[in-house]
Amino acid sequence: MLKVLAEQSEALSMPEAESQIREIVQHYFEGLHFANTGLLRTLFSEDCVLKAPGIRRDLNQWLARVEDRPVPAETGAAFDYQILTLEIIGEQAMVKVLCPLLDDVFIDFLGLLREDGQWRIVNKMYADKP
């Protein structure tokens, strides 16, 4: 089920914001699937902290782990990533995504802010799908 909530922002219409966020999330999926850390770096704010139960990593630590693990695309993994929910309020958004990676399935919550005219992921929480 996809749910989109928004308050109109004078600077950016709801359809424009949604389109831009969906594009970022698509690039996020591609970055994960192809282990493209250069692409992933462009999507995140530098001060982002990635969190899972009992885990805290800064962006550089997380990207190093992405570089060191098998590349899903090279293992023949299907590109089955999905946006589950998307909520936009002004210049902030929360996106819940399904990420089947390697031998696991993760649910990620991506927090985005639009600052200086650009959407960036400022927070990522993730856990194994129950």
Side-chain angles (χ1 to χ4, degrees):
M1 177 176 140
L2 182 62
K3 177 174 126 182
V4 180
L5 302 174
E7 291 179 2
Q8 291 297 328
S9 169
E10 292 179 15
L12 194 65
S13 73
M14 166 57 181
E16 290 172 319
E18 181 180 347
S19 176
Q20 289 176 5
I21 292 166
R22 286 181 178 281
E23 182 177 353
I24 287 170
V25 174
Q26 181 62 32
H27 289 311
Y28 173 71
F29 293 157
E30 292 166 3
L32 291 176
H33 196 70
F34 296 99
N36 184 338
T37 56
L39 174 61
L40 288 169
R41 184 176 294 283
T42 68
L43 306 175
F44 285 83
S45 69
E46 283 297 317
D47 62 350
C48 181
V49 177
L50 299 97
K51 303 168 187 153
I55 299 171
R56 302 293 186 273
R57 293 188 177 103
D58 67 27
L59 182 60
N60 291 325
Q61 291 168 325
W62 178 69
L63 291 173
R65 292 181 63 85
V66 170
E67 285 179 345
D68 289 341
R69 69 181 181 209
V71 177
E74 293 175 3
T75 67
F79 194 95
D80 289 335
Y81 308 85
Q82 298 174 40
I83 293 176
L84 301 174
T85 62
L86 167 59
E87 295 185 45
I88 305 166
I89 300 175
E91 294 188 334
Q92 61 184 352
M94 181 61 72
V95 185
K96 179 180 176 183
V97 298
L98 178 76
C99 296
L101 276 172
L102 305 170
D103 293 329
D104 225 331
V105 178
F106 296 94
I107 300 292
D108 295 357
F109 289 90
L110 305 174
L112 293 92
L113 292 176
R114 185 171 184 264
E115 298 176 317
D116 300 321
Q118 298 289 319
W119 288 100
R120 292 281 182 266
I121 300 168
V122 297
N123 186 44
K124 172 181 168 173
M125 293 188 306
Y126 59 101
D128 294 344
K129 183 180 176 187

